[in-house]
Amino acid sequence: FVRSCRRRFSCRSRGGEGVEFVGHQGPVYGVDVDAADQFAISSSQDTTVRLWRASGGKALVEYRGHSAPVWDVAFSPTSYYFATGSHDRMACIWTTDRPKPVRILAGHFADVEHVKWHPNGSLLATGSCDKTVRLWQLNTANQARLFVGHGSGVSAVAFSPNGRLCAVGEEGGAVVVWDIAESRRLHTLDSGAGHGGAGWCKVTSLAFSPDSATLFSATNCAAQAITSWDMHSAKGEEQAKVFQTKATPVVQLECLTEALVLAAGVFTAVPGAGNP
């Protein structure tokens, strides 16, 4: 699926056929697909969230509850619940069969730009420009954890598949890894230095390997690259490998296996660089 600054987004099947999803009245900021690949969900500047049939692009439901642009949306592991984060400083939990939110999560002091479900589906992480990440219980909507002390706004969030770690990317380039059970900071990784960056260097995406042993990070530094971090090293700061992406800013990472990472981005041609 491809997010868009237009009022539509698109997907391409494995066979190469593309489908466009048209209906939002503003730019589309968040897109996710359910576990069975049957439904897609999108969030927009128009303050709405929409559910679509993945094959064919038919609009099924329009959800309203936010009073400002909705930056992110994510299905839970069961695909019955989904979560949203908005410019109105709220995060909401919804069910696919109700047009209004079933939980409203209030507590952030700035935009909620990222929502991410824990692998067990009972916890939701929300990342905000207020430099905090909060973990919320699905059943009660109570705050279970508060991760503070980040140097800048939160730009990415990822859980390890074993459910023990939460990685937080910052707009300033750092990556902080938290132990969820103990609510303790384990590692602080200089992602900007790992990518050869200088100055402002935003973390754009994070992803753990399926065995939770390696964390991958991407930034929009001048030297575009993806860095892998060994979570088993003494300080978690050992760079296992750096993957150069030339002039391509990476916006999304996905680990398919321990040895295969999928990176998505927009290619930027560099004049005179012999771009393929």
Side-chain angles (χ1 to χ4, degrees), residues 130-170:
D130 65 9
K131 305 179 184 180
T132 70
V133 170
R134 298 168 187 259
L135 268 58
W136 309 83
Q137 295 175 335
L138 171 63
N139 293 335
T140 64
N142 291 333
Q143 183 178 291
R145 294 286 187 274
L146 173 60
F147 299 147
V148 299
H150 300 105
S152 55
V154 175
S155 58
V157 179
F159 284 109
S160 61
N162 63 16
R164 298 175 181 174
L165 305 177
C166 178
V168 179
E170 300 181 5

Side-chain angles (χ1 to χ4, degrees), residues 88-92 103-109 112 126 134 136 141-143:
D88 62 13
R89 304 182 181 182
M90 301 290 184
C92 291
R103 300 280 189 274
I104 297 177
L105 311 178
H108 283 291
F109 298 100
V112 179
T126 56
R134 298 168 187 259
W136 309 83
N142 291 333
Q143 183 178 291

Side-chain angles (χ1 to χ4, degrees), residues 24 31 84 101 103 108 162 204 207:
H24 281 293
V31 176
T84 54
R103 300 280 189 274
H108 283 291
N162 63 16
T204 56

Side-chain angles (χ1 to χ4, degrees), residues 53-93:
R53 192 172 301 281
S55 59
K58 180 182 179 181
L60 301 175
V61 186
E62 179 182 279
Y63 304 93
R64 292 184 177 270
H66 287 290
S67 60
V70 185
W71 301 129
D72 198 13
V73 61
F75 272 116
S76 72
T78 66
S79 299
Y80 176 59
Y81 293 97
F82 64 91
T84 54
S86 170
H87 179 61
D88 62 13
R89 304 182 181 182
M90 301 290 184
C92 291
I93 295 176

Side-chain angles (χ1 to χ4, degrees), residues 1-37:
F1 281 89
V2 179
R3 301 179 187 183
S4 175
C5 60
R6 300 179 299 165
R7 300 177 181 181
R8 63 185 68 186
F9 66 100
S10 62
C11 75
R12 188 169 295 277
S13 67
R14 294 176 181 176
E17 296 181 359
V19 178
E20 280 200 327
F21 300 76
V22 183
H24 281 293
Q25 300 303 307
V28 176
Y29 295 128
V31 176
D32 198 13
V33 64
D34 76 324
D37 294 333

